[in-house]
Every structure is written in C-alpha cells, then in structure tokens.
Amino acid sequence: MSSRRGRITDEEINELISKLQALLPESSRRRTASRSSASKLLKETCGYIKSLHQEVDDLSDRLSELMSTLDDASPQAEIIRSLLR
Amino acid sequence: MHASRKFKRAFMERLLQSLQVAGLTSKSMGLRERRDAVRLSSDVAMALARGSTAPWASALVTRHAAERRHEALMRRILSTAGYESSLRAAATASCRKEIRSRKIVRRSHGVCSSRRKRRSSLVAASGSNGATVARRMVKRRLQLLRKLVPGGEELHGFSLLSEALDYVMCLKTQVELMQRLCKGSIPAASSIRAEAAPNQNADI
C-alpha cells in the first residue's frame, strides 16, 4: 500500500524511527543514539537484516543436519520426532 | 517490542507441519536439498503465520513459489489453490520487473549524459554540498533496504520503513524459533503451542 490518506505526520515518522531503533541490537543503538541520522539508521537496519538472514541460513543448516539424524536413538532426535508426530 | 504470542504459535505450528511434509528424514536427500527445504519451510511458515496483510509476507511466498525446484514442497505446504495463486503472482511480478528495468534503461540513456554535464558544472561552482551527499547516501541505502525486504521494490518511503520494521520483528522470531528447535528443547517448543490454550495443561 503505497498510497496513504492525508500527509504522514512528523509524529508518525518519529514513532517509526524510534521503533526501528528499538529493534536494532544494543551496540548499534548506543552508537547512533546521539548522532542519529536517517543514513545511519538505514545502514544499521540493512546490516541487521543481512545478519538475521545469515543466522537463519546457519540455523537451517543445523536443523537439516539434525533432521537427517532422526534415525538415531539420541534424546535430541527423539524430542524432534515427538514434536513432529 | 515483541512479536505476538499468536504469531509465534501459528509460526511454530506451520513450521513443524512443513518440516513433517518435507520428508527430511529420508536418507536419499542431498545436503543442499535438505537445507533448502528447511529454509523454505521456515520462510513460508513465517509468511503464512504473518498473513497476507503484510506485503512482505505475500512477496516472500511468491518468491519461493517462483522457483521450479521448490514446486513439490510448496504444493505440499500450501493448498493447490494457494500454490497456483502464488504462481500467478510470481508471473505478474516478473513481468512488472522486466517492464520496470526496460524503462530504467531507456530513461538512463537520456539522463546519464545530461546528468554528467550538470554534475561537473555544479562541482565546479560550489564544491560538493554536504546535504546533497547525505541525501544521496540515504537514497542509496533506501535502495539497499528495498532489495532486502521481500516485495520492497514496490514500496517507497514511509511504507518501506514500516514494512522493514515489521519484517525485522518477524525475522527475529524466525531466529528464535529455529534456535529452540535446534536446541531440541521440548518445554520451549511445546509451550509455544500450549500458549494457545492457557487453561489446558501443557503436556511435555
């Protein structure tokens, strides 16, 4: 939805920016808090999304390995198996 | 700000369902195929749990549906109707993208030469303006954000930022839920299900 009724208020923009800042990891928040600029915020957001994508990739690797060993008698395998039943 | 319990629950349910139908325990699956199946299951579970009111969610499902090699698994996860409508959306999206890139190429032929002339005269006159540089940076980073958020290419300004906010929140949940599964912690995973009915006893 790229069309909005009426102009977007400054308040809405500020709220959005602070919500976004609240989501970003602690370390980057400290850095940007004092000299927050649109550019910095965007850079942090892009970087964060990329790192989250990477984490999901790694977790997919681990999870798929786990699932491939479901024939094992290991307690972990039994747990996953029970969840899937 | 946290993702809602309802979202987490729906996400986990769908994730487990998808992992089940993906046939991941089969020994004949290759490493890459298995990893792709898990990633797909997770992405689609997240998008479906979020619902089509979020443009990024529909775009994510469309993106996965567009890949031929995902067809079998997608058909199992979505209903046939769901899968076919995603295919249609994928076809429309790629049409639009092609039209857009053709326009850009056409436009830039004229613009590039005139922009070069304009820029060199500007620089000669005032030196590089700090505000202009900042604006260019913001523009470039918005472009990057557009590529990172599914369906972002269609969004601008405020909508892009609010979509990104929503997307980041769901991504964090995705990481959290997959971590719980990896750790194989029953209380964590099944408690998410149990939160649906707080009056029932969570069976562990």
Side-chain angles (χ1 to χ4, degrees):
Chain A
M1 280 182 285
S2 50
S3 58
R4 285 177 59 99
R5 260 182 256 117
R7 281 188 62 76
I8 299 161
T9 64
D10 275 348
E11 203 181 304
E12 286 176 309
I13 296 178
N14 288 333
E15 197 187 332
L16 185 58
I17 290 177
S18 61
K19 277 188 186 163
L20 206 49
Q21 262 177 335
L23 271 190
L24 300 177
E26 272 297 327
S27 51
S28 48
R29 212 185 308 168
R30 253 181 273 125
R31 261 185 267 129
T32 60
S34 46
R35 303 191 302 126
S36 55
S37 69
S39 176
K40 273 199 161 62
L41 181 67
L42 286 175
K43 180 180 173 194
E44 302 291 356
T45 307
C46 288
Y48 191 39
I49 293 181
K50 272 193 241 171
S51 74
L52 286 172
H53 282 168
Q54 186 60 55
E55 264 199 271
V56 174
D57 271 335
D58 294 341
L59 285 166
S60 301
D61 268 328
R62 280 171 57 192
L63 202 52
S64 67
E65 250 183 69
L66 223 97
M67 309 239 18
S68 68
T69 61
L70 278 195
D71 282 350
D72 289 357
S74 72
Q76 220 176 11
E78 178 51 45
I79 287 167
I80 299 284
R81 239 175 292 144
S82 71
L83 283 174
L84 292 180
R85 246 174 251 136
Chain B
M1 210 189 323
H2 294 289
S4 73
R5 255 192 236 147
K6 185 173 166 216
F7 169 67
K8 285 192 191 182
R9 188 196 334 129
F11 189 166
M12 188 53 115
E13 289 278 6
R14 289 186 182 273
L15 179 54
L16 292 174
Q17 273 168 28
S18 302
L19 290 177
Q20 219 168 355
V21 298
L24 294 169
T25 53
S26 140
K27 289 298 179 185
S28 58
M29 248 202 188
L31 216 73
R32 190 170 174 240
E33 194 187 345
R34 205 191 309 269
R35 196 229 302 140
D36 282 350
V38 172
R39 180 66 199 266
L40 190 158
S41 303
S42 181
D43 280 350
V44 175
M46 173 173 67
L48 292 178
R50 180 58 185 85
S52 52
T53 56
W56 70 257
S58 313
L60 189 54
V61 174
T62 301
R63 187 201 289 172
H64 280 297
E67 304 216 24
R68 268 297 165 73
R69 65 197 168 105
H70 291 167
E71 173 168 358
L73 183 50
M74 289 295 280
R75 274 189 191 276
R76 266 177 270 160
I77 297 177
L78 308 170
S79 64
T80 311
Y83 177 65
E84 315 229 308
S85 80
S86 299
L87 271 185
R88 282 194 295 270
T92 328
S94 65
C95 259
R96 248 188 272 141
K97 209 188 274 186
E98 233 204 277
I99 293 172
R100 214 184 313 131
S101 48
R102 264 187 257 140
K103 274 196 192 148
I104 291 173
V105 171
R106 247 182 277 139
R107 231 186 292 147
S108 62
H109 279 322
V111 169
C112 273
S113 46
S114 60
R115 198 182 276 162
R116 245 179 279 136
K117 286 187 218 140
R118 237 189 301 144
R119 203 188 297 160
S120 54
S121 62
L122 250 181
V123 171
S126 62
S128 133
N129 186 343
T132 323
V133 169
R135 228 177 298 145
R136 230 183 292 153
M137 285 277 265
V138 171
K139 207 171 179 187
R140 205 180 305 159
R141 295 206 165 134
L142 278 173
Q143 257 308 102
L144 187 58
L145 188 62
R146 222 169 256 130
K147 292 206 185 100
L148 289 173
V149 176
E153 309 276 348
E154 315 283 320
L155 300 171
H156 299 281
F158 193 81
S159 315
L160 175 61
L161 284 180
S162 58
E163 270 309 279
L165 180 76
D166 194 277
Y167 183 51
V168 168
M169 211 158 54
C170 296
L171 276 181
K172 290 174 80 160
T173 307
Q174 185 179 31
V175 168
E176 180 192 333
L177 294 188
M178 288 179 80
Q179 275 173 344
R180 292 196 196 191
L181 274 187
C182 281
K183 289 196 185 128
S185 157
I186 289 187
S190 64
S191 72
I192 291 173
R193 272 168 154 176
E195 269 159 30
N199 301 317
Q200 285 175 15
N201 292 324
D203 43 286
I204 291 176

